[in-house]
Amino acid sequence: MSTERLILRYRGAGVAPAQDLEKIRNLSEIEIIDSSPRMLLVEGDLTKLHELLEQMPEWHLYPEKTIERPDPRYKINPKEHKN
C-alpha cells in the first residue's frame, strides 16, 4: 500500500461529469487535496482509483511535480565589485 500524490485530469469535452466526480469522491482510500473543473489533486492509496479509472477512459493520472522557486534576493558578486 503506497501513498502517492497525483493529478487526475479529465480529457473529455467540457467539464468533468458530475457522476464521475461522485465516484471518485466516494473512494475512501483517497483524499482530494484540491480541485478545478477538469482536474483533481489526490493523495492516498491509489489502487482502487486505478481500478475505477479503467472504467473511465477520459480520465488520466499524472505525477505531481514540484518546482523549487529561485531565491529572489539580489546577490552581489564580489569579483565584480572590487574597491
Side-chain angles (χ1 to χ4, degrees):
M1 177 189 313
S2 65
T3 299
E4 300 179 61
R5 202 164 167 167
L6 297 171
I7 297 169
L8 183 56
R9 182 172 182 191
Y10 179 68
R11 300 287 298 211
V15 297
Q19 63 270 22
D20 287 0
L21 294 172
E22 189 63 31
K23 289 177 187 177
I24 295 166
R25 285 190 179 102
N26 285 336
L27 292 175
S28 60
E29 294 85 3
I30 68 160
E31 178 183 357
I32 297 174
I33 306 297
D34 198 7
S35 65
S36 69
R38 299 175 59 84
M39 286 191 246
L40 300 170
L41 177 61
V42 297
E43 181 176 56
D45 179 16
L46 304 173
T47 306
K48 295 284 185 189
L49 180 60
H50 286 286
E51 292 172 8
L52 178 63
L53 292 181
E54 289 177 7
Q55 304 166 21
M56 301 185 322
E58 293 178 325
W59 287 91
H60 298 270
L61 281 173
Y62 301 96
E64 177 189 37
K65 294 180 184 177
T66 57
I67 300 171
E68 192 172 320
R69 291 180 55 184
D71 187 354
R73 297 176 290 187
Y74 179 75
K75 293 177 182 64
I76 297 174
N77 186 343
K79 294 178 183 176
E80 295 176 2
H81 297 283
K82 292 182 180 179
N83 290 333

